[in-house]
């Protein structure tokens, strides 16, 4: 049998598949970057090479995250951004672009929830506020940023949806949140078709249960563990970094032929 030897690749200036996951020279913005998944996504984007804009309703709440990025040597900027207010979004975009340059990637992560039976819910807090923030916020940000991306003929928007847009969660009742995330998923598809001719991609993540500081303690409570952990084929919650890596993928050229997709990252939860 003839011996076969692999020829060392001549990389030169050739782009490798791993290069496509890099975000060097890109400017990325994450809303709700002050905690939980938003903080993790912002860090992941920075580690992939992007200059990162941290956006939240309170700039003070971004201080810890900004300090962490600065200590690691990552270029970043912070801006106040209320996703329910188009003027606030516009001001945040102007501020970040003055500091970092034109925005290439926008991650719509900011969101809230409301737990409680629908029949007992306060209409304002239990419906309007959730929909205005979760679905309305994605619309508002995508409109402001999408215009600028369309003018330049390039850009990508990543929306954070949820498996709650695909199922009805238990044991907690959260009809408004579920409806808002279903809206995010279909808004993603609609925007993808509209903005594709302008060279702008729009995709969404649909994470399962994530072990963030806000909910980790609840995983040990029997009623939540049964529904949130025991039903997951992988028998655990996601580490935030496992969702953030998927966000980096969607934001990168590795996903250049993906638009209008809702990428489910749930350990198999929605399969059971």
């Amino acid at each position: 049998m003839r011996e076969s030897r692999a020829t060392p690749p001549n990389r030169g200036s050739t782009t490798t598949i791993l290069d496509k996951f890099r975000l060097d020279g890109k400017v990325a913005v994450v809303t709700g970057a002050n905690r939980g998944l938003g903080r993790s996504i912002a860090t992941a984007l920075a580690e992939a090479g992007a200059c990162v804009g941290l956006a939240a309703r309170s700039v003070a709440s971004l201080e810890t995250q900004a300090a962490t990025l600065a200590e690691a040597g990552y270029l970043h900027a912070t801006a106040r951004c209320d996703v329910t207010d188009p003027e606030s979004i516009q001001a945040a975009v102007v501020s970040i672009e003055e500091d970092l340059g034109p925005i290439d990637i926008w991650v719509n992560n900011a969101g809230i929830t409301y737990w409680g039976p629908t029949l007992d819910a306060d209409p304002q807090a239990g419906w309007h506020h959730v929909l205005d923030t979760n679905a309305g916020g994605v619309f508002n940000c995508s409109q402001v940023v999408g215009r600028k991306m369309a003018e330049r003929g390039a850009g990508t928007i990543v929306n954070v949806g949820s498996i709650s847009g695909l199922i009805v969660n238990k044991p907690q009742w959260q009809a408004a949140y579920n409806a808002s995330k279903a809206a995010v998923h279909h808004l993603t598809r609609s925007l993808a078709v509209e903005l594709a001719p302008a060279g702008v991609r729009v995709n969404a993540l649909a994470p399962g249960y994530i072990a963030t500081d806000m909910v980790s303690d609840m995983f040990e409570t029997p009623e939540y563990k049964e529904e949130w952990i025991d039903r997951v084929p992988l028998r655990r919650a996601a580490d935030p970094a496992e969702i953030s890596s998927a966000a980096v993928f969607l934001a990168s050229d590795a996903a250049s032929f993906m638009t209008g997709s809702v990428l489910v990252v749930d350990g198999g939860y929605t399969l059971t």
Side-chain angles (χ1 to χ4, degrees):
M1 180 180 294
R2 187 174 61 182
E3 183 180 3
S4 176
R5 295 183 179 179
T7 302
N10 179 17
R11 287 192 166 85
S13 60
T14 303
T15 300
T16 69
I17 188 63
L18 292 180
D19 293 329
K20 292 182 178 292
F21 289 87
R22 295 292 305 174
L23 300 174
D24 302 288
K26 301 290 187 182
V27 175
V29 179
V30 181
T31 65
N34 56 328
R35 63 183 183 179
L37 181 58
R39 181 183 298 171
S40 179
I41 291 175
T43 300
L45 293 169
E47 290 175 350
C51 302
V52 180
L54 308 173
R57 283 181 294 182
S58 168
V59 174
S61 68
L62 296 169
E63 290 179 356
T64 300
Q65 173 71 347
T68 300
L69 293 180
E71 185 177 353
Y74 297 128
L75 189 60
H76 66 281
T78 61
R80 180 187 177 278
C81 183
D82 180 348
V83 299
T84 67
D85 180 0
E87 291 185 1
S88 175
I89 300 165
Q90 183 64 49
V93 169
V94 170
S95 175
I96 290 171
E97 291 197 329
E98 285 179 350
D99 289 337
L100 301 178
I103 296 168
D104 303 290
I105 300 159
W106 185 278
V107 181
N108 282 309
N109 168 75
I112 60 172
T113 190
Y114 178 97
W115 283 9
T118 299
L119 300 186
D120 300 329
D122 173 76
Q124 183 58 39
W127 178 259
H128 296 293
H129 189 37
V130 174
L131 269 292
D132 287 347
T133 302
N134 296 0
V138 171
F139 176 88
N140 294 334
C141 290
S142 298
Q143 186 177 58
V144 171
V145 178
R147 285 170 179 156
K148 299 180 75 68
M149 290 179 173
E151 288 175 3
R152 296 198 307 272
T156 183
I157 297 171
V158 179
N159 299 324
V160 177
S162 171
I163 59 169
S164 299
L166 304 170
I167 63 168
V168 176
N169 303 75
K170 293 184 296 182
Q172 76 278 21
W173 300 124
Q174 49 180 39
Y177 183 82
N178 297 349
S180 73
K181 291 302 184 178
V184 168
H185 294 174
H186 209 53
L187 179 56
T188 295
R189 300 181 184 102
S190 299
L191 290 172
V193 174
E194 283 193 55
L195 297 180
V200 180
R201 295 189 300 110
V202 187
N203 291 290
L205 285 173
Y209 290 105
I210 310 170
T212 62
D213 294 341
M214 292 180 288
V215 297
S216 289
D217 291 345
M218 299 177 68
F219 292 139
E220 301 305 317
T221 304
E223 64 175 327
Y224 292 106
K225 181 178 180 295
E226 179 181 359
E227 292 291 339
W228 295 7
I229 301 298
D230 295 345
R231 279 193 56 195
V232 181
L234 291 182
R235 291 295 187 270
R236 63 180 179 84
D239 183 278
E242 294 178 298
I243 309 301
S244 301
S245 59
V248 170
F249 164 64
L250 290 178
S252 74
D253 286 343
S256 58
F257 199 55
M258 288 181 67
T259 196
S261 294
V262 178
L263 183 60
V264 178
V265 189
D266 68 349
Y269 188 97
T270 52
L271 301 178
T272 62

